């Protein structure tokens, strides 16, 4: 059997908790935590089990999503220490746990399957309360799984679900909620909750963190598409790895049939500085600055640094493949990487070491959207001119702009922009019926509504080049933050 298939089967068995290599060993430890574990950490039986599972595997690897699933560890930030003696474990805990904001811990003293001594510590940061998680595995014919959790009032949260087809669903969470999760396809899914603290005015502080990360499988464990790095890191400097990471982002977007991004030197410089300055714990305030604050400081007044939307994804691993896999296996990070609302990117890969001196690869990607260069009046005229040019080529009379259709289209476009949703009923009913009631000279109104980066990419709206169409109304609204156009085109048919 090929190596990738072996890994897939192994992961499937681990997700089910059926593999003998994850059977918890008999523990040789007291109920008391040793004094070198920080006293503020609360002992958790689930993390004890996770620590036991680390010892049960004949490897030096620490916590990963396989152990998460087998031991039902859902916390977004999980750190593991695997040592051969208490003294070595104490040294690692002292180096790794400080400043990580951890809240819960598990601890075991046991043996690896080969008989080697094992001391394992697993600690996590828990910021939400989860009362129900999807099962690690369910049959393809079963009902969609559910999740139930409580978000503190001091935080705002978003729920992301990555499906096997690579697409991501997103919802905003408040208070205590229970939700059914999507199961569009058979395969491996990942659910993730991202939280951010809110200030006194109710706005997020801009330093989101992962609060929950949980894989679950429906039927066979098919994985979402993710380009592979293909080449080892050895023999390549940081710049070469950065260019390779750029190509990975472009290939991921190509697989989702999305447009490629332009490489921004400004974003690349900022990503490099942030990757070099990141400490032991990843976070979106580096040296106290958000990505936008860094751009404002480094490139004041530079039009190349003007972005109406700016996002950042970060990952760290022992290899570029590990860091890249961490990004694509995270629903929230993948959501940013394949966003329709970005046009430029800057990618940086920087080698370093963790607190234990182990080599690391830090990957930072900044994703931005430049302001659109087209103005609304020019676009409206261009849409009319293009439609009439096509009608003329077919021997039809040119369309005239109807004031009533134009007003209805503009009102609907503004309303869609305000609530950020494409909906042709926001004026009290279907826009075609609303516009028809306002203009008795027409017998029918056919609408087109859309949210798009460039309205000229819509192509010809077929009713506009119909011989019976006589009037036209166009409404465009540009969202000032998203940089996208909300478009309404109304084609009026005369008597």
């Amino acid at each position: 059997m090929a190596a990738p298939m072996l890994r897939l089967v192994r992961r499937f068995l681990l997700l089910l908790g059926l593999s003998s290599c994850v059977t918890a060993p008999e523990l040789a430890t007291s109920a008391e935590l040793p004094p070198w574990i920080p006293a503020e950490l609360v002992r958790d039986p689930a993390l004890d089990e996770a620590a036991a599972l680390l010892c049960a595997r004949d490897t030096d690897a620490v916590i990963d999503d396989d152990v998460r699933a087998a031991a039902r560890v859902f916390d977004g930030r999980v750190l593991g220490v695997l040592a051969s003696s208490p003294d070595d474990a104490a040294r690692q805990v002292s180096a790794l746990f400080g400043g990580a904001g951890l809240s819960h811990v598990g601890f075991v003293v046991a043996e690896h399957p080969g008989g080697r001594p094992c001391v394992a510590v697993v600690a996590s940061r828990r910021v939400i309360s989860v009362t129900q998680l999807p099962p690690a595995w369910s049959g393809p014919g079963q009902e969609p799984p559910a999740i139930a959790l409580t978000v503190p009032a001091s935080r705002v949260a978003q729920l992301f679900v990555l499906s096997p087809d690579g697409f991501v669903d997103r919802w905003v969470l408040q208070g205590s909620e229970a939700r059914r999760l999507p199961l569009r396809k058979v395969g491996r899914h990942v659910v993730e909750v991202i939280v951010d603290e809110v200030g006194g005015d109710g706005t997020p502080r801009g330093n989101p963190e992962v609060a929950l990360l949980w894989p679950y499988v429906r039927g066979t464990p098919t994985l979402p598409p993710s380009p592979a790095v293909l080449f080892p890191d050895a023999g390549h400097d940081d710049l070469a790895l950065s260019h390779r990471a750029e190509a990975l982002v472009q290939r991921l977007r190509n697989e989702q049939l999305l447009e490629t991004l332009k490489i921004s030197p400004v974003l690349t410089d900022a990503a490099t500085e942030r990757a070099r300055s990141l400490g032991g714990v990843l976070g979106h305030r580096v040296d106290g600055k958000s990505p936008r604050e860094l751009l404002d400081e480094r490139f004041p007044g530079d039009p190349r640094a003007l972005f109406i939307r700016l996002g950042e994804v970060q990952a760290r691993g022992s290899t570029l493949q590990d860091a890249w896999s961490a990004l694509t296996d995270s629903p929230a990070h993948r959501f940013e990487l394949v966003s329709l609302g970005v046009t430029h990117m800057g990618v940086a890969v920087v080698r370093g070491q963790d607190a234990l001196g182990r080599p690391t690869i830090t990957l930072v990607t900044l994703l931005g959207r430049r302001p659109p260069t087209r103005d609304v009046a020019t676009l409206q005229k261009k849409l009319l001119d293009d439609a009439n040019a096509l009608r003329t080529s077919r021997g039809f009379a040119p369309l005239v702009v109807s004031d009533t259709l134009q007003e209805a289209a503009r009102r609907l476009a503004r309303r869609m922009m305000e609530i950020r949703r494409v909906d042709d009923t926001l004026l009290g009913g279907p826009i075609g019926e609303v516009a028809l009631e306002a203009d008795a000279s027409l017998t029918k109104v056919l609408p087109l509504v859309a949210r798009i980066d460039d309205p000229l990419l819509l192509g010809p709206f077929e009713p506009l080049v119909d011989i019976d169409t006589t009037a036209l109304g166009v409404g465009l609204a540009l969202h000032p933050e998203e940089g996208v156009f909300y478009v309404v085109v109304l084609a009026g048919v005369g008597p």
Side-chain angles (χ1 to χ4, degrees):
M1 184 180 292
M5 183 57 69
L6 282 171
R7 288 195 296 269
L8 193 60
V9 171
R10 176 180 171 82
R11 170 169 285 186
F12 183 49
L13 293 175
L14 286 167
L15 283 168
L16 295 180
L18 299 179
S19 176
S20 60
C21 67
V22 295
T23 301
E26 188 170 338
L27 308 183
T29 183
S30 67
E32 298 296 326
L33 292 174
W36 42 265
I37 290 181
E40 66 270 16
L41 299 184
V42 178
R43 189 146 192 194
D44 186 335
L47 297 183
D48 283 342
E49 175 69 10
L53 288 169
L54 290 182
C55 286
R57 305 193 307 174
D58 194 13
T59 175
D60 293 329
V62 293
I63 197 77
D64 59 17
D65 59 6
D66 298 333
V67 181
R68 285 179 185 274
R72 296 188 71 79
V73 177
F74 58 82
D75 304 296
R77 183 179 300 173
V78 180
L79 296 180
V81 164
L82 202 58
S84 58
S85 69
D87 288 344
D88 187 23
R91 179 183 64 84
Q92 295 186 47
V93 165
S94 175
L96 291 179
F97 286 11
L102 303 171
S103 59
H104 292 73
V105 70
F107 167 75
V108 299
V109 177
E111 291 183 349
H112 286 293
R116 295 183 294 115
C118 175
V119 180
V121 185
V122 175
S124 69
R125 174 174 168 83
R126 191 165 301 163
V127 295
I128 62 175
S129 172
V130 180
T131 55
Q132 183 177 356
L133 278 174
W137 179 87
S138 63
Q142 297 182 11
E143 289 292 320
I147 185 171
L149 50 84
T150 300
V151 180
S154 60
R155 297 179 182 268
V156 61
Q158 295 183 80
L159 170 67
F160 298 83
V161 178
L162 170 61
S163 297
D165 56 10
F167 290 97
V168 180
D169 295 279
R170 179 180 65 165
W171 301 269
V172 176
L173 301 178
Q174 293 180 332
S176 297
E177 293 206 26
R179 286 182 178 269
R180 288 284 177 184
L181 301 176
L183 280 178
R184 289 194 297 265
K185 294 201 172 189
V186 169
R188 184 175 184 270
H189 302 70
V190 182
V191 58
E192 184 173 23
V193 175
I194 303 293
V195 300
D196 195 359
E197 292 184 351
V198 294
D201 58 356
T203 59
R205 294 188 181 276
N207 192 26
E209 64 175 298
V210 179
L212 182 151
L213 187 65
W214 177 252
Y216 62 98
V217 174
R218 180 194 187 200
T220 55
T222 306
L223 300 176
S226 177
V229 173
L230 298 180
F231 302 102
D233 301 341
H236 303 281
D237 61 14
D238 291 357
L239 181 59
L241 296 184
S242 299
H243 289 326
R244 187 176 301 168
E246 289 175 354
L248 290 171
V249 175
Q250 304 288 32
R251 285 170 54 200
L252 179 64
R253 293 179 65 87
N254 287 340
E255 288 182 358
Q256 302 293 121
L257 302 179
L258 301 175
E259 291 187 5
T260 56
L261 302 177
K262 297 178 181 178
I263 305 300
S264 165
V266 166
L267 293 183
T268 299
D269 290 347
T272 302
E273 181 172 332
R274 293 176 72 79
R276 290 173 177 167
S277 301
L278 274 169
V281 178
L282 300 180
H284 295 286
R285 296 201 70 85
V286 181
D287 292 334
K289 304 182 187 71
S290 68
R292 190 173 297 278
E293 289 169 341
L294 176 62
L295 287 181
D296 291 342
E297 180 183 288
R298 286 284 309 277
F299 306 97
D302 191 332
R304 299 176 305 159
L306 181 59
F307 294 93
I308 58 176
R309 175 182 174 182
L310 188 61
E312 180 183 41
V313 294
Q314 303 171 352
R316 180 173 286 158
S318 58
T319 65
L320 178 56
Q321 180 63 63
D322 289 343
W324 173 248
S325 297
L327 285 186
T328 57
D329 202 38
S330 160
H333 288 145
R334 185 185 284 254
F335 185 85
E336 292 293 333
L337 291 171
V338 299
S339 171
L340 291 172
V342 295
T343 55
H344 293 68
M345 72 173 176
V347 181
V349 174
V350 173
R351 285 180 169 91
Q353 291 183 337
D354 67 8
L356 298 178
R358 298 173 296 192
T360 60
I361 292 285
T362 299
L363 170 58
V364 173
T365 301
L366 293 177
L367 302 155
R369 179 177 183 81
R370 296 293 302 276
T373 56
R374 302 181 186 276
D375 65 272
V376 169
T378 301
L379 281 172
Q380 289 189 163
K381 184 176 185 305
K382 177 68 172 171
L383 290 172
L384 175 63
D385 291 345
D386 288 350
N388 281 335
L390 189 55
R391 290 178 65 87
T392 300
S393 69
R394 298 185 181 184
F396 301 158
L399 299 175
V400 297
V401 176
S402 163
D403 291 340
T404 54
L405 293 185
Q406 195 88 335
E407 176 61 21
R410 287 174 175 170
R411 287 173 54 209
L412 179 58
R414 285 196 300 269
R415 183 59 182 147
M416 291 196 303
M417 180 269 292
E418 291 169 354
I419 66 172
R420 305 187 186 192
R421 189 175 81 239
V422 176
D423 186 343
D424 74 341
T425 65
L426 295 178
L427 299 185
I431 186 60
E433 297 178 7
V434 172
L436 190 61
E437 290 176 359
D439 193 335
S441 66
L442 302 175
T443 60
K444 184 188 301 184
V445 175
L446 302 173
L448 167 69
V449 295
R451 174 187 183 276
I452 194 169
D453 293 342
D454 185 351
L456 298 183
L457 298 177
L458 287 170
F461 180 38
E462 196 59 35
L464 294 182
V465 291
D466 187 277
I467 191 173
D468 295 325
T469 302
T470 58
L472 167 73
V474 178
L476 300 175
L478 174 62
H479 196 284
E481 298 174 0
E482 295 179 337
V484 295
F485 289 92
Y486 289 82
V487 183
V488 179
V489 180
L490 301 177
V493 179

